[in-house]
Amino acid sequence: MLSVSRIETATLASWPALETVGDGQWRARFAASFSGRSNSIWCLDPADDDNAEARLAALVPAYEARGLPPLFRVTPLTGRKTFAMLETGGWQAAKTSLVLATEIGETGGIDATARLYDATDPAFLAIQARLQGFEGASLETFTAIVASIKVPACGIVIAAGDDSPAAALICAQTDGIAMLYDVITAPAQRGRGFGRRMIATALSWAAENGARHAALQVQADNIAALGLYLAMGFTFRYPYHYRRRPETAS
C-alpha cells in the first residue's frame, strides 16, 4: 500500500506550482490562485512541527503580496502542534478532499476511441479548457502549470459517438505512481461510461510506461466520482482539507 508520504511527494513532483518557497519540510506554493494544491502551504513530515506560529507569520506576507489567501493544506503529515496552532489561531476549515489509490494489475489496453496527447499539446489544452470552463487568467495559469510538469505526462481524451470530446484527464507519472488530474466528463455525457473507459485507458498507459500504482484526489462530496473510482478498484488512503486564515475565510 502506498504511504501518505510517497503519494504527497509524487503529487508535488507531478503537479508543480509556479513558485515554491521551502522552509524545512514545509513547502509554500504559489500559482495565481489556480487550485488549492498549487496555492497552499504543505508539510511533508509531521516531525517538522516546531515554531509553527512564527513560520506561518513569515509566510503569510508572501501570499498577501501575490493577492492570494493564505491557505494551509492539512494532511496526516501535518504535525500535531501545527494543527493545534491552526485551531487556536482560528484558521477555518474549507473544502475536504479524499486521496484514493490502487495497485495497477492487468489492464485492458487503450480504448479504441481514446486520443493520447502530450499533456502540453495545444489541442489537448483546448479540450480541457472547453470541458472545464477555463478561460482568461485561469486558462493561462493552467497552461503554465502543465508546461512546468517535468515528469512524463499524457493527456487522454475519450470521444463520443459524434467524435466530440466526452471526457478528458491528465496522467502524470513519477516514482512508479500514475497521478490522475483534472478528470472531467462533459455534462451531457455523464453516466454513459466514458469516465470508466478513460480511467481504464489511463491505467493502461501508466502500466505500459512502468507505473505500478495510481492515485488521485476527489472532493469528498463528489459521490458519483467516488462511486466510479471505488468500483474500479481504488481504495481510500487519506483525507485532506485546507485551513484558511480567519480574515480571508468566506
mmCIF file of all heavy atoms in Angstrom, residues 54-106:
data_model
loop_
_atom_site.group_PDB
_atom_site.id
_atom_site.type_symbol
_atom_site.label_atom_id
_atom_site.label_comp_id
_atom_site.label_asym_id
_atom_site.label_seq_id
_atom_site.Cartn_x
_atom_site.Cartn_y
_atom_site.Cartn_z
ATOM 1 N N ALA A 54 5.340 31.207 14.233
ATOM 2 C CA ALA A 54 6.297 32.147 13.668
ATOM 3 C C ALA A 54 6.531 31.856 12.185
ATOM 4 O O ALA A 54 6.678 32.782 11.374
ATOM 5 C CB ALA A 54 7.610 32.091 14.438
ATOM 6 N N ARG A 55 6.570 30.594 11.834
ATOM 7 C CA ARG A 55 6.815 30.228 10.435
ATOM 8 C C ARG A 55 5.634 30.642 9.558
ATOM 9 O O ARG A 55 5.832 31.143 8.443
ATOM 10 C CB ARG A 55 7.085 28.727 10.337
ATOM 11 C CG ARG A 55 8.389 28.327 11.000
ATOM 12 C CD ARG A 55 8.484 26.841 11.252
ATOM 13 N NE ARG A 55 8.793 26.104 10.037
ATOM 14 C CZ ARG A 55 8.886 24.778 10.012
ATOM 15 N NH1 ARG A 55 8.668 24.068 11.121
ATOM 16 N NH2 ARG A 55 9.185 24.159 8.879
ATOM 17 N N LEU A 56 4.435 30.438 10.067
ATOM 18 C CA LEU A 56 3.265 30.882 9.310
ATOM 19 C C LEU A 56 3.257 32.400 9.170
ATOM 20 O O LEU A 56 2.958 32.931 8.089
ATOM 21 C CB LEU A 56 1.984 30.417 9.988
ATOM 22 C CG LEU A 56 1.451 29.035 9.603
ATOM 23 C CD1 LEU A 56 0.206 28.720 10.413
ATOM 24 C CD2 LEU A 56 1.156 28.961 8.117
ATOM 25 N N ALA A 57 3.581 33.091 10.254
ATOM 26 C CA ALA A 57 3.596 34.552 10.204
ATOM 27 C C ALA A 57 4.598 35.055 9.169
ATOM 28 O O ALA A 57 4.385 36.095 8.536
ATOM 29 C CB ALA A 57 3.934 35.118 11.583
ATOM 30 N N ALA A 58 5.682 34.300 8.957
ATOM 31 C CA ALA A 58 6.680 34.694 7.969
ATOM 32 C C ALA A 58 6.211 34.410 6.542
ATOM 33 O O ALA A 58 6.617 35.105 5.602
ATOM 34 C CB ALA A 58 7.992 33.966 8.240
ATOM 35 N N LEU A 59 5.342 33.388 6.370
ATOM 36 C CA LEU A 59 4.898 33.009 5.024
ATOM 37 C C LEU A 59 3.651 33.771 4.569
ATOM 38 O O LEU A 59 3.451 33.972 3.373
ATOM 39 C CB LEU A 59 4.622 31.508 4.975
ATOM 40 C CG LEU A 59 5.848 30.602 5.046
ATOM 41 C CD1 LEU A 59 5.430 29.143 5.210
ATOM 42 C CD2 LEU A 59 6.719 30.778 3.812
ATOM 43 N N VAL A 60 2.822 34.179 5.512
ATOM 44 C CA VAL A 60 1.577 34.857 5.145
ATOM 45 C C VAL A 60 1.812 36.072 4.245
ATOM 46 O O VAL A 60 1.103 36.251 3.245
ATOM 47 C CB VAL A 60 0.786 35.252 6.414
ATOM 48 C CG1 VAL A 60 -0.248 36.336 6.111
ATOM 49 C CG2 VAL A 60 0.083 34.019 6.982
ATOM 50 N N PRO A 61 2.803 36.930 4.532
ATOM 51 C CA PRO A 61 3.005 38.085 3.649
ATOM 52 C C PRO A 61 3.321 37.716 2.205
ATOM 53 O O PRO A 61 3.012 38.482 1.280
ATOM 54 C CB PRO A 61 4.184 38.816 4.309
ATOM 55 C CG PRO A 61 4.119 38.423 5.740
ATOM 56 C CD PRO A 61 3.667 36.999 5.726
ATOM 57 N N ALA A 62 3.936 36.548 1.989
ATOM 58 C CA ALA A 62 4.236 36.126 0.619
ATOM 59 C C ALA A 62 2.956 35.871 -0.158
ATOM 60 O O ALA A 62 2.871 36.164 -1.358
ATOM 61 C CB ALA A 62 5.112 34.875 0.639
ATOM 62 N N TYR A 63 1.932 35.330 0.518
ATOM 63 C CA TYR A 63 0.636 35.133 -0.142
ATOM 64 C C TYR A 63 -0.064 36.473 -0.361
ATOM 65 O O TYR A 63 -0.613 36.734 -1.434
ATOM 66 C CB TYR A 63 -0.232 34.177 0.681
ATOM 67 C CG TYR A 63 0.219 32.744 0.542
ATOM 68 C CD1 TYR A 63 1.181 32.217 1.392
ATOM 69 C CD2 TYR A 63 -0.282 31.933 -0.467
ATOM 70 C CE1 TYR A 63 1.641 30.913 1.251
ATOM 71 C CE2 TYR A 63 0.164 30.625 -0.624
ATOM 72 C CZ TYR A 63 1.122 30.128 0.245
ATOM 73 O OH TYR A 63 1.571 28.832 0.074
ATOM 74 N N GLU A 64 -0.031 37.314 0.653
ATOM 75 C CA GLU A 64 -0.679 38.621 0.527
ATOM 76 C C GLU A 64 -0.053 39.445 -0.589
ATOM 77 O O GLU A 64 -0.757 40.143 -1.334
ATOM 78 C CB GLU A 64 -0.594 39.360 1.861
ATOM 79 C CG GLU A 64 -1.400 38.686 2.964
ATOM 80 C CD GLU A 64 -1.228 39.359 4.300
ATOM 81 O OE1 GLU A 64 -0.153 39.946 4.538
ATOM 82 O OE2 GLU A 64 -2.168 39.297 5.107
ATOM 83 N N ALA A 65 1.259 39.360 -0.742
ATOM 84 C CA ALA A 65 1.936 40.132 -1.782
ATOM 85 C C ALA A 65 1.518 39.688 -3.178
ATOM 86 O O ALA A 65 1.601 40.470 -4.134
ATOM 87 C CB ALA A 65 3.451 39.990 -1.628
ATOM 88 N N ARG A 66 1.062 38.446 -3.291
ATOM 89 C CA ARG A 66 0.625 37.903 -4.580
ATOM 90 C C ARG A 66 -0.898 37.964 -4.734
ATOM 91 O O ARG A 66 -1.439 37.419 -5.703
ATOM 92 C CB ARG A 66 1.124 36.471 -4.733
ATOM 93 C CG ARG A 66 2.645 36.370 -4.856
ATOM 94 C CD ARG A 66 3.121 34.947 -4.624
ATOM 95 N NE ARG A 66 4.551 34.797 -4.862
ATOM 96 C CZ ARG A 66 5.499 35.128 -3.995
ATOM 97 N NH1 ARG A 66 5.159 35.665 -2.816
ATOM 98 N NH2 ARG A 66 6.776 34.955 -4.287
ATOM 99 N N GLY A 67 -1.567 38.589 -3.773
ATOM 100 C CA GLY A 67 -3.018 38.685 -3.828
ATOM 101 C C GLY A 67 -3.722 37.369 -3.595
ATOM 102 O O GLY A 67 -4.844 37.154 -4.087
ATOM 103 N N LEU A 68 -3.093 36.474 -2.820
ATOM 104 C CA LEU A 68 -3.648 35.143 -2.567
ATOM 105 C C LEU A 68 -4.052 34.998 -1.107
ATOM 106 O O LEU A 68 -3.372 35.511 -0.216
ATOM 107 C CB LEU A 68 -2.609 34.060 -2.895
ATOM 108 C CG LEU A 68 -2.099 34.019 -4.334
ATOM 109 C CD1 LEU A 68 -0.936 33.038 -4.451
ATOM 110 C CD2 LEU A 68 -3.232 33.617 -5.280
ATOM 111 N N PRO A 69 -5.135 34.274 -0.828
ATOM 112 C CA PRO A 69 -5.489 33.997 0.563
ATOM 113 C C PRO A 69 -4.531 32.971 1.157
ATOM 114 O O PRO A 69 -4.258 31.942 0.526
ATOM 115 C CB PRO A 69 -6.907 33.422 0.456
ATOM 116 C CG PRO A 69 -6.948 32.806 -0.909
ATOM 117 C CD PRO A 69 -6.106 33.686 -1.778
ATOM 118 N N PRO A 70 -3.982 33.205 2.320
ATOM 119 C CA PRO A 70 -3.101 32.213 2.942
ATOM 120 C C PRO A 70 -3.877 30.934 3.264
ATOM 121 O O PRO A 70 -4.892 30.971 3.966
ATOM 122 C CB PRO A 70 -2.619 32.907 4.216
ATOM 123 C CG PRO A 70 -2.805 34.374 3.942
ATOM 124 C CD PRO A 70 -4.041 34.454 3.104
ATOM 125 N N LEU A 71 -3.388 29.810 2.744
ATOM 126 C CA LEU A 71 -4.018 28.507 2.953
ATOM 127 C C LEU A 71 -2.989 27.527 3.482
ATOM 128 O O LEU A 71 -1.833 27.540 3.034
ATOM 129 C CB LEU A 71 -4.587 27.939 1.647
ATOM 130 C CG LEU A 71 -5.765 28.618 0.978
ATOM 131 C CD1 LEU A 71 -6.063 27.933 -0.359
ATOM 132 C CD2 LEU A 71 -6.988 28.569 1.876
ATOM 133 N N PHE A 72 -3.418 26.654 4.391
ATOM 134 C CA PHE A 72 -2.572 25.555 4.855
ATOM 135 C C PHE A 72 -3.269 24.251 4.498
ATOM 136 O O PHE A 72 -4.441 24.065 4.810
ATOM 137 C CB PHE A 72 -2.332 25.622 6.362
ATOM 138 C CG PHE A 72 -1.156 24.803 6.822
ATOM 139 C CD1 PHE A 72 0.047 25.410 7.121
ATOM 140 C CD2 PHE A 72 -1.251 23.423 6.936
ATOM 141 C CE1 PHE A 72 1.142 24.656 7.536
ATOM 142 C CE2 PHE A 72 -0.167 22.658 7.343
ATOM 143 C CZ PHE A 72 1.033 23.271 7.650
ATOM 144 N N ARG A 73 -2.563 23.369 3.833
ATOM 145 C CA ARG A 73 -3.117 22.073 3.412
ATOM 146 C C ARG A 73 -2.876 21.065 4.531
ATOM 147 O O ARG A 73 -1.737 20.670 4.791
ATOM 148 C CB ARG A 73 -2.457 21.622 2.109
ATOM 149 C CG ARG A 73 -3.056 20.376 1.464
ATOM 150 C CD ARG A 73 -2.395 20.171 0.103
ATOM 151 N NE ARG A 73 -2.953 19.063 -0.647
ATOM 152 C CZ ARG A 73 -2.530 17.801 -0.590
ATOM 153 N NH1 ARG A 73 -1.520 17.512 0.220
ATOM 154 N NH2 ARG A 73 -3.091 16.861 -1.317
ATOM 155 N N VAL A 74 -3.940 20.637 5.187
ATOM 156 C CA VAL A 74 -3.837 19.748 6.345
ATOM 157 C C VAL A 74 -3.982 18.299 5.885
ATOM 158 O O VAL A 74 -5.008 17.904 5.318
ATOM 159 C CB VAL A 74 -4.913 20.079 7.388
ATOM 160 C CG1 VAL A 74 -4.856 19.081 8.551
ATOM 161 C CG2 VAL A 74 -4.728 21.501 7.900
ATOM 162 N N THR A 75 -2.943 17.504 6.115
ATOM 163 C CA THR A 75 -2.927 16.087 5.763
ATOM 164 C C THR A 75 -2.446 15.293 6.984
ATOM 165 O O THR A 75 -2.095 15.882 8.016
ATOM 166 C CB THR A 75 -1.957 15.823 4.589
ATOM 167 O OG1 THR A 75 -0.599 15.879 5.077
ATOM 168 C CG2 THR A 75 -2.144 16.831 3.466
ATOM 169 N N PRO A 76 -2.371 13.971 6.892
ATOM 170 C CA PRO A 76 -1.791 13.212 8.002
ATOM 171 C C PRO A 76 -0.329 13.549 8.276
ATOM 172 O O PRO A 76 0.208 13.144 9.312
ATOM 173 C CB PRO A 76 -1.944 11.757 7.536
ATOM 174 C CG PRO A 76 -3.137 11.777 6.648
ATOM 175 C CD PRO A 76 -3.023 13.074 5.909
ATOM 176 N N LEU A 77 0.325 14.288 7.376
ATOM 177 C CA LEU A 77 1.711 14.693 7.588
ATOM 178 C C LEU A 77 1.828 16.034 8.305
ATOM 179 O O LEU A 77 2.936 16.506 8.550
ATOM 180 C CB LEU A 77 2.458 14.757 6.252
ATOM 181 C CG LEU A 77 2.532 13.457 5.465
ATOM 182 C CD1 LEU A 77 3.326 13.652 4.179
ATOM 183 C CD2 LEU A 77 3.139 12.332 6.301
ATOM 184 N N THR A 78 0.700 16.644 8.632
ATOM 185 C CA THR A 78 0.710 17.883 9.412
ATOM 186 C C THR A 78 0.964 17.546 10.878
ATOM 187 O O THR A 78 0.263 16.720 11.463
ATOM 188 C CB THR A 78 -0.632 18.618 9.272
ATOM 189 O OG1 THR A 78 -0.877 18.894 7.897
ATOM 190 C CG2 THR A 78 -0.613 19.923 10.059
ATOM 191 N N GLY A 79 1.963 18.177 11.474
ATOM 192 C CA GLY A 79 2.297 17.890 12.866
ATOM 193 C C GLY A 79 1.195 18.300 13.827
ATOM 194 O O GLY A 79 0.406 19.201 13.553
ATOM 195 N N ARG A 80 1.169 17.660 14.967
ATOM 196 C CA ARG A 80 0.113 17.928 15.958
ATOM 197 C C ARG A 80 0.171 19.356 16.478
ATOM 198 O O ARG A 80 -0.862 20.002 16.668
ATOM 199 C CB ARG A 80 0.225 16.935 17.114
ATOM 200 C CG ARG A 80 -0.128 15.502 16.728
ATOM 201 C CD ARG A 80 -0.136 14.589 17.941
ATOM 202 N NE ARG A 80 -0.517 13.224 17.583
ATOM 203 C CZ ARG A 80 -0.666 12.239 18.457
ATOM 204 N NH1 ARG A 80 -0.458 12.482 19.759
ATOM 205 N NH2 ARG A 80 -1.019 11.025 18.061
ATOM 206 N N LYS A 81 1.375 19.845 16.733
ATOM 207 C CA LYS A 81 1.488 21.220 17.244
ATOM 208 C C LYS A 81 1.077 22.233 16.173
ATOM 209 O O LYS A 81 0.456 23.250 16.483
ATOM 210 C CB LYS A 81 2.919 21.474 17.721
ATOM 211 C CG LYS A 81 3.286 20.745 19.007
ATOM 212 C CD LYS A 81 4.648 21.129 19.516
ATOM 213 C CE LYS A 81 5.756 20.548 18.688
ATOM 214 N NZ LYS A 81 7.105 20.787 19.278
ATOM 215 N N THR A 82 1.399 21.920 14.924
ATOM 216 C CA THR A 82 0.985 22.812 13.838
ATOM 217 C C THR A 82 -0.528 22.831 13.718
ATOM 218 O O THR A 82 -1.146 23.901 13.593
ATOM 219 C CB THR A 82 1.614 22.363 12.506
ATOM 220 O OG1 THR A 82 3.040 22.396 12.624
ATOM 221 C CG2 THR A 82 1.173 23.265 11.363
ATOM 222 N N PHE A 83 -1.146 21.662 13.785
ATOM 223 C CA PHE A 83 -2.603 21.598 13.695
ATOM 224 C C PHE A 83 -3.255 22.332 14.860
ATOM 225 O O PHE A 83 -4.236 23.069 14.683
ATOM 226 C CB PHE A 83 -3.075 20.152 13.660
ATOM 227 C CG PHE A 83 -4.563 20.016 13.518
ATOM 228 C CD1 PHE A 83 -5.182 20.200 12.294
ATOM 229 C CD2 PHE A 83 -5.361 19.715 14.618
ATOM 230 C CE1 PHE A 83 -6.558 20.087 12.160
ATOM 231 C CE2 PHE A 83 -6.730 19.601 14.499
ATOM 232 C CZ PHE A 83 -7.331 19.789 13.261
ATOM 233 N N ALA A 84 -2.703 22.151 16.066
ATOM 234 C CA ALA A 84 -3.259 22.834 17.236
ATOM 235 C C ALA A 84 -3.148 24.346 17.083
ATOM 236 O O ALA A 84 -4.063 25.093 17.457
ATOM 237 C CB ALA A 84 -2.533 22.370 18.496
ATOM 238 N N MET A 85 -2.050 24.817 16.497
ATOM 239 C CA MET A 85 -1.885 26.249 16.288
ATOM 240 C C MET A 85 -2.916 26.769 15.289
ATOM 241 O O MET A 85 -3.484 27.852 15.473
ATOM 242 C CB MET A 85 -0.466 26.537 15.790
ATOM 243 C CG MET A 85 -0.110 28.008 15.691
ATOM 244 S SD MET A 85 -0.742 28.821 14.204
ATOM 245 C CE MET A 85 -0.073 27.752 12.939
ATOM 246 N N LEU A 86 -3.185 26.010 14.222
ATOM 247 C CA LEU A 86 -4.201 26.416 13.262
ATOM 248 C C LEU A 86 -5.574 26.498 13.931
ATOM 249 O O LEU A 86 -6.359 27.413 13.673
ATOM 250 C CB LEU A 86 -4.251 25.423 12.092
ATOM 251 C CG LEU A 86 -3.009 25.377 11.182
ATOM 252 C CD1 LEU A 86 -3.090 24.169 10.241
ATOM 253 C CD2 LEU A 86 -2.875 26.657 10.375
ATOM 254 N N GLU A 87 -5.859 25.538 14.805
ATOM 255 C CA GLU A 87 -7.132 25.528 15.523
ATOM 256 C C GLU A 87 -7.258 26.740 16.441
ATOM 257 O O GLU A 87 -8.255 27.474 16.377
ATOM 258 C CB GLU A 87 -7.253 24.243 16.343
ATOM 259 C CG GLU A 87 -7.613 23.012 15.547
ATOM 260 C CD GLU A 87 -9.115 22.904 15.350
ATOM 261 O OE1 GLU A 87 -9.814 22.467 16.268
ATOM 262 O OE2 GLU A 87 -9.582 23.284 14.257
ATOM 263 N N THR A 88 -6.265 26.945 17.271
ATOM 264 C CA THR A 88 -6.356 28.042 18.234
ATOM 265 C C THR A 88 -6.261 29.395 17.542
ATOM 266 O O THR A 88 -6.792 30.395 18.044
ATOM 267 C CB THR A 88 -5.253 27.932 19.297
ATOM 268 O OG1 THR A 88 -3.973 27.932 18.657
ATOM 269 C CG2 THR A 88 -5.408 26.651 20.106
ATOM 270 N N GLY A 89 -5.605 29.432 16.386
ATOM 271 C CA GLY A 89 -5.479 30.681 15.644
ATOM 272 C C GLY A 89 -6.697 31.013 14.807
ATOM 273 O O GLY A 89 -6.728 32.062 14.150
ATOM 274 N N GLY A 90 -7.686 30.129 14.828
ATOM 275 C CA GLY A 90 -8.922 30.401 14.111
ATOM 276 C C GLY A 90 -8.867 30.179 12.613
ATOM 277 O O GLY A 90 -9.752 30.634 11.879
ATOM 278 N N TRP A 91 -7.847 29.471 12.129
ATOM 279 C CA TRP A 91 -7.804 29.157 10.700
ATOM 280 C C TRP A 91 -8.964 28.212 10.393
ATOM 281 O O TRP A 91 -9.068 27.135 10.966
ATOM 282 C CB TRP A 91 -6.468 28.509 10.332
ATOM 283 C CG TRP A 91 -5.307 29.462 10.317
ATOM 284 C CD1 TRP A 91 -4.856 30.205 11.371
ATOM 285 C CD2 TRP A 91 -4.475 29.759 9.200
ATOM 286 N NE1 TRP A 91 -3.773 30.958 10.983
ATOM 287 C CE2 TRP A 91 -3.514 30.707 9.652
ATOM 288 C CE3 TRP A 91 -4.420 29.333 7.878
ATOM 289 C CZ2 TRP A 91 -2.521 31.222 8.817
ATOM 290 C CZ3 TRP A 91 -3.438 29.831 7.043
ATOM 291 C CH2 TRP A 91 -2.504 30.773 7.507
ATOM 292 N N GLN A 92 -9.819 28.621 9.487
ATOM 293 C CA GLN A 92 -11.090 27.928 9.283
ATOM 294 C C GLN A 92 -10.993 26.854 8.202
ATOM 295 O O GLN A 92 -10.379 27.058 7.151
ATOM 296 C CB GLN A 92 -12.176 28.945 8.926
ATOM 297 C CG GLN A 92 -12.401 29.959 10.044
ATOM 298 C CD GLN A 92 -13.440 30.982 9.692
ATOM 299 O OE1 GLN A 92 -14.271 30.780 8.815
ATOM 300 N NE2 GLN A 92 -13.421 32.120 10.377
ATOM 301 N N ALA A 93 -11.612 25.711 8.478
ATOM 302 C CA ALA A 93 -11.572 24.579 7.555
ATOM 303 C C ALA A 93 -12.417 24.854 6.320
ATOM 304 O O ALA A 93 -13.502 25.434 6.404
ATOM 305 C CB ALA A 93 -12.068 23.317 8.248
ATOM 306 N N ALA A 94 -11.895 24.456 5.171
ATOM 307 C CA ALA A 94 -12.615 24.620 3.910
ATOM 308 C C ALA A 94 -12.305 23.448 2.996
ATOM 309 O O ALA A 94 -11.180 22.964 2.957
ATOM 310 C CB ALA A 94 -12.198 25.926 3.228
ATOM 311 N N LYS A 95 -13.283 22.968 2.308
ATOM 312 C CA LYS A 95 -13.181 22.002 1.219
ATOM 313 C C LYS A 95 -12.337 20.770 1.553
ATOM 314 O O LYS A 95 -11.125 20.782 1.453
ATOM 315 C CB LYS A 95 -12.639 22.664 -0.049
ATOM 316 C CG LYS A 95 -12.868 21.825 -1.305
ATOM 317 C CD LYS A 95 -12.559 22.571 -2.582
ATOM 318 C CE LYS A 95 -11.097 22.786 -2.806
ATOM 319 N NZ LYS A 95 -10.787 23.283 -4.168
ATOM 320 N N THR A 96 -13.004 19.708 1.919
ATOM 321 C CA THR A 96 -12.332 18.441 2.185
ATOM 322 C C THR A 96 -12.276 17.602 0.919
ATOM 323 O O THR A 96 -13.249 17.493 0.172
ATOM 324 C CB THR A 96 -13.066 17.658 3.282
ATOM 325 O OG1 THR A 96 -13.010 18.401 4.504
ATOM 326 C CG2 THR A 96 -12.439 16.294 3.508
ATOM 327 N N SER A 97 -11.115 17.010 0.678
ATOM 328 C CA SER A 97 -10.941 16.085 -0.439
ATOM 329 C C SER A 97 -10.418 14.760 0.088
ATOM 330 O O SER A 97 -9.905 14.679 1.212
ATOM 331 C CB SER A 97 -9.965 16.651 -1.479
ATOM 332 O OG SER A 97 -10.501 17.789 -2.111
ATOM 333 N N LEU A 98 -10.531 13.727 -0.726
ATOM 334 C CA LEU A 98 -10.063 12.391 -0.387
ATOM 335 C C LEU A 98 -9.015 11.959 -1.399
ATOM 336 O O LEU A 98 -9.137 12.236 -2.598
ATOM 337 C CB LEU A 98 -11.223 11.395 -0.396
ATOM 338 C CG LEU A 98 -12.456 11.767 0.428
ATOM 339 C CD1 LEU A 98 -13.541 10.714 0.258
ATOM 340 C CD2 LEU A 98 -12.105 11.945 1.897
ATOM 341 N N VAL A 99 -8.000 11.268 -0.915
ATOM 342 C CA VAL A 99 -6.996 10.678 -1.790
ATOM 343 C C VAL A 99 -7.267 9.183 -1.881
ATOM 344 O O VAL A 99 -7.379 8.499 -0.855
ATOM 345 C CB VAL A 99 -5.573 10.938 -1.265
ATOM 346 C CG1 VAL A 99 -4.540 10.229 -2.136
ATOM 347 C CG2 VAL A 99 -5.292 12.440 -1.219
ATOM 348 N N LEU A 100 -7.399 8.696 -3.094
ATOM 349 C CA LEU A 100 -7.629 7.281 -3.365
ATOM 350 C C LEU A 100 -6.444 6.730 -4.145
ATOM 351 O O LEU A 100 -5.779 7.458 -4.892
ATOM 352 C CB LEU A 100 -8.903 7.082 -4.179
ATOM 353 C CG LEU A 100 -10.189 7.735 -3.677
ATOM 354 C CD1 LEU A 100 -11.353 7.375 -4.613
ATOM 355 C CD2 LEU A 100 -10.511 7.314 -2.259
ATOM 356 N N ALA A 101 -6.182 5.452 -3.985
ATOM 357 C CA ALA A 101 -5.067 4.838 -4.699
ATOM 358 C C ALA A 101 -5.409 3.399 -5.047
ATOM 359 O O ALA A 101 -6.313 2.788 -4.459
ATOM 360 C CB ALA A 101 -3.792 4.890 -3.858
ATOM 361 N N THR A 102 -4.682 2.872 -6.008
ATOM 362 C CA THR A 102 -4.860 1.479 -6.400
ATOM 363 C C THR A 102 -3.544 0.927 -6.911
ATOM 364 O O THR A 102 -2.691 1.663 -7.421
ATOM 365 C CB THR A 102 -5.942 1.331 -7.496
ATOM 366 O OG1 THR A 102 -6.200 -0.054 -7.734
ATOM 367 C CG2 THR A 102 -5.508 1.967 -8.811
ATOM 368 N N GLU A 103 -3.379 -0.359 -6.775
ATOM 369 C CA GLU A 103 -2.277 -1.050 -7.440
ATOM 370 C C GLU A 103 -2.736 -1.372 -8.854
ATOM 371 O O GLU A 103 -3.861 -1.819 -9.064
ATOM 372 C CB GLU A 103 -1.912 -2.323 -6.682
ATOM 373 C CG GLU A 103 -0.697 -3.032 -7.244
ATOM 374 C CD GLU A 103 -0.239 -4.190 -6.382
ATOM 375 O OE1 GLU A 103 -0.787 -4.362 -5.269
ATOM 376 O OE2 GLU A 103 0.665 -4.931 -6.817
ATOM 377 N N ILE A 104 -1.882 -1.123 -9.826
ATOM 378 C CA ILE A 104 -2.247 -1.388 -11.212
ATOM 379 C C ILE A 104 -1.928 -2.844 -11.528
ATOM 380 O O ILE A 104 -0.771 -3.260 -11.509
ATOM 381 C CB ILE A 104 -1.493 -0.462 -12.183
ATOM 382 C CG1 ILE A 104 -1.790 1.007 -11.860
ATOM 383 C CG2 ILE A 104 -1.881 -0.767 -13.628
ATOM 384 C CD1 ILE A 104 -1.008 1.994 -12.708
ATOM 385 N N GLY A 105 -2.971 -3.617 -11.793
ATOM 386 C CA GLY A 105 -2.780 -5.011 -12.158
ATOM 387 C C GLY A 105 -2.860 -5.174 -13.666
ATOM 388 O O GLY A 105 -2.352 -4.358 -14.434
ATOM 389 N N GLU A 106 -3.549 -6.190 -14.082
ATOM 390 C CA GLU A 106 -3.737 -6.409 -15.510
ATOM 391 C C GLU A 106 -4.679 -5.343 -16.064
ATOM 392 O O GLU A 106 -5.696 -5.016 -15.456
ATOM 393 C CB GLU A 106 -4.334 -7.796 -15.753
ATOM 394 C CG GLU A 106 -4.492 -8.157 -17.219
ATOM 395 C CD GLU A 106 -5.011 -9.568 -17.408
ATOM 396 O OE1 GLU A 106 -5.085 -10.314 -16.411
ATOM 397 O OE2 GLU A 106 -5.351 -9.928 -18.551
#
